[in-house]
Amino acid sequence: MVTEHASAKINLFLHVGDKRADGFHPLQSLAVFTAMGDVLSMEPAFGLSLTIEGPFAKGLDGEGDNLVLRAAKSLSEKSALDTQGAKLILTKNLPVASGIGGGSADAAAALRGLNQLWNLDRSEAVLRDLAAGLGSDIPVCVLSASCFMEGRGEVLRAAQSMPRVPMLLVNPGVAVPTKDVFAALGERSGVEMALPRGNFTDTADLLRFLETTRNDLEEPARRIQPVIGDVLQAIAKLPGALMTRMSGSGATCFGIFADDDCCRRAAENLKIRQPAWWIAPTFVPEMGIVHEAAGQDIGPTAEGL
Ligand code: C5P
């Protein structure tokens, strides 16, 4: 049995440029991963099957459409495996279609886990190439570490260091399709910002950088689902909230807090006033210069399978 954690992906900022000829938008972002996430367990079996449990299991469509199975099939096909299968069990703790990359993180967890279960020994770079064919956010979820993202999301550079960041995630229970938010995009920051090396030594340092950035998708997402504005306002009013922003294409918003206690108290406070919202106090784990790719460009590779 192999178990992989599929952490929520939070875009601390997200700048978008003009639509490319292939229909995608170029972007610049800093993605970080929280302790909160889905869990994917895998064991050997004949054929591929997926069982979904957990608080958000009902939010997913039928098996056939699940990105986890698409990732598993794609790894199996590209590896010319026709006899190996797996029984996959996904515990869905994250809300679906909510801007925190739940489906992408699950697919990335399937690629990492099945690579191990099937003894394929594919490199991380190969898994990222495969991931890029499945969705723009999946390569960064394969790394599941703080990264600057460029291109349509597949050009990555790991941040050099990241402090532990206490973070409150809040979703008002509305699904916002990514495609619709990009289609409603008005004013955009463009993608010409010189990205820093990302040597964030403490929260204050990180916040100073984030103040110079924004999430371009916040305004169009708020037009589609005005409740996002209420969520942002509610988090900003909580004692100890240092910064509030929407992640990805929404509707999940996050608050950065001074410490874990403050974040937990803020969650309790908000749950009383908004019992129907999904409110999750969590944190981004501290990351030193440990990643092999820290500070280097992690572009698409030509390695292939
Ligand atoms: O790549 P993914 O399937 O996650 O993208 C979903 C949709 O979001 C795309 O079909 C596209 O409309 C939009 N998108 C975009 N530019 C990106 C990523 C996604 O326009 N960089």
Side-chain angles (χ1 to χ4, degrees), residues 19 23-27 104 134-137 151-153 178-179 182:
K19 196 171 173 176
F24 287 91
H25 293 78
L27 51 86
S104 300
L134 295 163
S136 308
D137 271 350
R152 59 175 264 233
T178 304
K179 217 180 173 70
F182 272 104

Side-chain angles (χ1 to χ4, degrees), residues 4 18 38 40 46 67 71 79-80 122 130 142 152 159 181-182 185 204 238 240 242 253 255 263 283 289:
E4 282 286 331
D18 293 332
D38 295 338
L40 186 68
F46 190 75
L67 262 181
S79 310
R122 302 293 180 210
L130 207 51
V142 168
R152 59 175 264 233
V181 178
F182 272 104
L185 191 62
L238 292 166
L242 302 175
C253 299
C263 185
F283 62 92
I289 307 180

Side-chain angles (χ1 to χ4, degrees), residues 61 77 89 104 111 142 176 226 239 245 279 287:
D61 294 332
E77 277 163 23
I89 300 173
S104 300
L111 293 176
V142 168
V176 190
R245 197 167 269 176
I279 298 165
M287 186 193 82

Side-chain angles (χ1 to χ4, degrees), residues 49-62:
S49 70
L50 173 66
T51 308
I52 306 172
E53 17 186 84
F56 287 99
K58 280 207 199 84
L60 287 174
D61 294 332

Side-chain angles (χ1 to χ4, degrees), residues 21-102:
D22 65 1
F24 287 91
H25 293 78
L27 51 86
Q28 285 187 316
S29 182
L30 174 56
V32 295
F33 291 83
T34 65
M36 173 84 199
D38 295 338
V39 179
L40 186 68
S41 323
M42 293 144 265
E43 56 186 44
F46 190 75
L48 277 173
S49 70
L50 173 66
T51 308
I52 306 172
E53 17 186 84
F56 287 99
K58 280 207 199 84
L60 287 174
D61 294 332
E63 273 198 9
D65 194 36
N66 193 286
L67 262 181
V68 169
L69 283 180
R70 281 177 46 207
K73 280 180 193 143
S74 140
L75 181 63
S76 154
E77 277 163 23
K78 290 272 168 53
S79 310
L81 298 173
D82 44 23
T83 51
Q84 292 208 51
K87 178 174 186 281
L88 299 136
I89 300 173
L90 175 64
T91 307
K92 195 76 207 155
N93 298 317
L94 302 173
V96 176
S98 73
I100 52 176

